[in-house]
């Protein structure tokens, strides 16, 4: 375990691999704490690049360009997982990366992730590897159906996975995934999904936020609520599981642990993300230290902040669909008290593309859900 890393004080330059909205909100938090930010992505004028002091643009497998970026910063983090291990290794030869390249290596591959967590005795959904036709049949026999076949690498927001309703559908499901290395997971009957946004520093200090209750539409996160009174009894278990995950992987930084709540009120790990998470955006308004503040604090060796909710909060995503009838009615949404608008600087709204989010805070979980949903509906009013 890494311990007591030297403090990287405000005034230093922080690097972020990736130029999306997570990087943008991280950069905004870093600026509030007095840091400079450089970003590297494969897209010019990216959401993060719009607010960073310097934007490097290049392919993620351009090792020389990655090294040039690394030489300009004091520490590097990342905002999405699909980065080749060679790029991270090249950075680690120059400057520290948090979470480490080893954490990225494990979490960007579903089989490695599930196997590592299962070996640690953490509660994961039952799974089997699928690397050839024989393993596919064995997996179906052992796990049964319905089940879900997922690519081992890549995929997000429901991409890279196919439901297998019965044994006869297994072969066609694998063909739909181009017969790449995959993982078969038992389909869990669950009553809801929750997440725990956890943070850990190099000395092993741990804190977090959750369980955050999440609702999805078309496999994309739609609504997050924290705290949810119905989830209060699971708070200690969720924290213990999240802490176990971060300790097993020796994470320095922020990691989101996504969990199923089974019908008998047990928690099972669905997957983990070694970065801030969509469901944690509400911490910007709800907590003294947001998930992005915590990301900066953890990787710079500063004391971790408090993520206890100051008030109940709810967040809804704003997808490109909101723009279907033209420019949204921002004024109508912001007329509602305690509603905050966060837009990501993306120029082209597309169906299913995350363009921003709305957060409401208030006196009760029920009231903030009603308010934030009302605010989103108001965007399309004329």
């Amino acid at each position: 375990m890494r311990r007591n890393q030297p403090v990287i004080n405000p005034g230093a330059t922080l690097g972020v691999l990736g130029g999306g909205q997570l990087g943008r909100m991280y950069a905004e938090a870093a600026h509030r704490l007095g840091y400079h930010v450089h970003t590297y992505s494969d897209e010019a004028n990216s959401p993060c690049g719009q607010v960073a002091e310097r934007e490097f643009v290049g392919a993620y497998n351009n090792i020389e360009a990655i090294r040039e970026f690394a030489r300009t910063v004091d520490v590097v983090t990342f905002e999405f997982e699909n980065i080749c291990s060679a790029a991270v290794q090249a950075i680690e030869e120059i400057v520290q990366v948090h979470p480490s390249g080893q954490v990225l290596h494990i979490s960007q591959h579903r089989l490695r992730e599930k196997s590592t967590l299962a070996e640690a005795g953490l509660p994961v959904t039952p799974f089997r590897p699928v690397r050839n036709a024989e393993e596919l049949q064995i997996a179906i026999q052992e796990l049964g159906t319905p089940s879900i076949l997922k690519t081992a690498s890549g995929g997000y927001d429901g991409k890279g996975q196919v439901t297998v309703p019965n044994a006869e559908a297994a072969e066609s499901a694998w063909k739909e995934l181009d017969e790449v290395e995959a993982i078969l997971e038992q389909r869990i009957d669950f009553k809801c999904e929750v997440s725990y946004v956890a943070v850990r520093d190099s000395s092993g200090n741990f804190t977090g936020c959750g369980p955050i209750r999440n609702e999805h539409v078309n496999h994309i996160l739609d609504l997050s609520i924290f705290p949810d009174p119905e989830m209060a009894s699971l708070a200690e278990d969720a924290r213990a599981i999240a802490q176990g995950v971060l300790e097993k992987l020796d994470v320095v930084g922020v990691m989101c642990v996504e969990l199923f709540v089974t019908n008998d009120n047990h928690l099972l790990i669905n997957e983990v993300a070694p970065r801030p998470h969509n469901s944690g955006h509400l911490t910007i308004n709800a907590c003294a230290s947001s998930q992005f503040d915590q990301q900066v604090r953890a990787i710079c060796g500063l004391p971790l902040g408090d993520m206890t909710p100051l008030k109940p909060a709810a967040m809804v995503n704003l997808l490109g669909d909101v723009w279907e009838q033209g420019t949204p009615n921002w004024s109508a949404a912001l007329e509602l008290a305690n509603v905050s608008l966060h837009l990501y600087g993306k120029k082209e709204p597309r169906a299913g593309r995350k363009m921003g989010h709305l957060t409401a805070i208030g006196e009760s979980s029920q009231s903030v859900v009603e308010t934030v949903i009302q605010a989103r509906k108001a965007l399309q009013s004329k």
Side-chain angles (χ1 to χ4, degrees), residues 50-339:
Q50 292 167 12
V51 299
E53 281 86 344
R54 187 172 177 186
E55 180 181 39
F56 290 78
V57 180
Y60 288 112
N61 59 0
N62 186 335
I63 303 304
E64 282 309 310
I66 291 278
R67 288 194 177 111
E68 180 186 355
F69 156 74
R71 293 187 188 103
T72 71
V73 301
D74 297 287
V75 65
V76 171
T77 191
F78 41 84
E79 62 113 48
F80 81 123
E81 297 93 310
N82 295 327
I83 301 168
C84 67
S85 58
V88 180
Q89 286 178 340
I91 295 172
E92 288 183 322
E93 292 170 3
I94 298 169
V95 70
Q96 285 190 334
V97 178
H98 295 308
S100 68
Q102 179 62 16
V103 173
L104 184 68
H105 176 72
I106 292 171
S107 61
Q108 68 184 184
H109 189 276
R110 289 185 173 106
L111 272 173
R112 283 197 292 267
E113 177 186 298
K114 282 283 172 67
S115 298
T116 300
L117 299 181
E119 288 165 6
L122 293 162
V124 300
T125 53
F127 70 96
R128 295 292 185 276
V130 175
R131 290 164 292 219
N132 52 55
E134 183 180 359
E135 284 190 340
L136 175 61
Q137 293 306 315
I138 292 171
I140 290 292
Q141 290 172 12
E142 292 182 350
L143 292 184
T145 56
S147 51
I148 303 173
L149 190 64
K150 303 179 180 180
T151 56
S153 301
Y156 62 95
D157 289 343
K159 299 177 176 67
Q161 57 181 271
V162 181
T163 297
V164 183
N166 51 58
E168 291 72 26
E171 186 175 345
S172 62
W174 196 35
K175 286 181 179 178
E176 189 173 335
L177 297 179
D178 295 326
E179 298 184 351
V180 298
E181 183 181 22
I183 179 172
L184 187 77
E185 296 182 3
Q186 189 177 83
R187 186 164 184 169
I188 303 299
D189 286 328
F190 61 91
K191 60 182 179 182
C192 67
E193 296 179 58
V194 298
S195 55
Y196 198 98
V197 177
V199 56
R200 182 174 177 270
D201 67 15
S202 63
S203 297
N205 297 309
F206 176 90
T207 189
C209 175
I212 301 166
R213 182 165 179 159
N214 301 313
E215 295 181 8
H216 295 75
V217 175
N218 297 325
H219 300 288
I220 300 174
L221 181 65
D222 184 65
L223 170 70
S224 293
I225 311 154
F226 179 67
D228 183 338
E230 293 183 19
M231 298 293 106
S233 63
L234 297 173
E236 288 187 14
D237 286 347
R239 179 186 172 93
I241 291 170
Q243 187 167 3
V245 170
L246 271 66
E247 288 179 352
K248 171 61 181 176
L249 299 179
D250 196 14
V251 171
V252 174
V254 172
M255 172 172 272
C256 180
V257 182
E258 299 177 54
L259 303 143
F260 292 130
V261 180
T262 64
N263 291 324
D264 56 355
N265 254 25
H266 287 93
L267 294 172
L268 289 175
I269 299 169
N270 177 27
E271 57 186 15
V272 302
R275 50 167 172 74
H277 190 261
N278 193 172
S279 65
H281 293 349
L282 51 73
T283 61
I284 296 173
N285 301 101
C287 303
S289 289
S290 75
Q291 62 174 346
F292 302 103
D293 295 324
Q294 298 286 49
Q295 186 180 22
V296 176
R297 288 170 178 247
I299 71 170
C300 291
L302 296 173
L304 302 181
D306 187 1
M307 299 189 82
T308 304
L310 302 173
K311 283 191 172 184
M315 180 218 72
V316 290
N317 271 328
L318 301 179
L319 304 183
D321 311 60
V322 174
W323 278 254
E324 283 180 350
Q325 299 175 20
T327 302
N329 190 343
W330 304 117
S331 296
L334 293 176
E335 282 180 355
L336 295 165
N338 298 323
V339 169

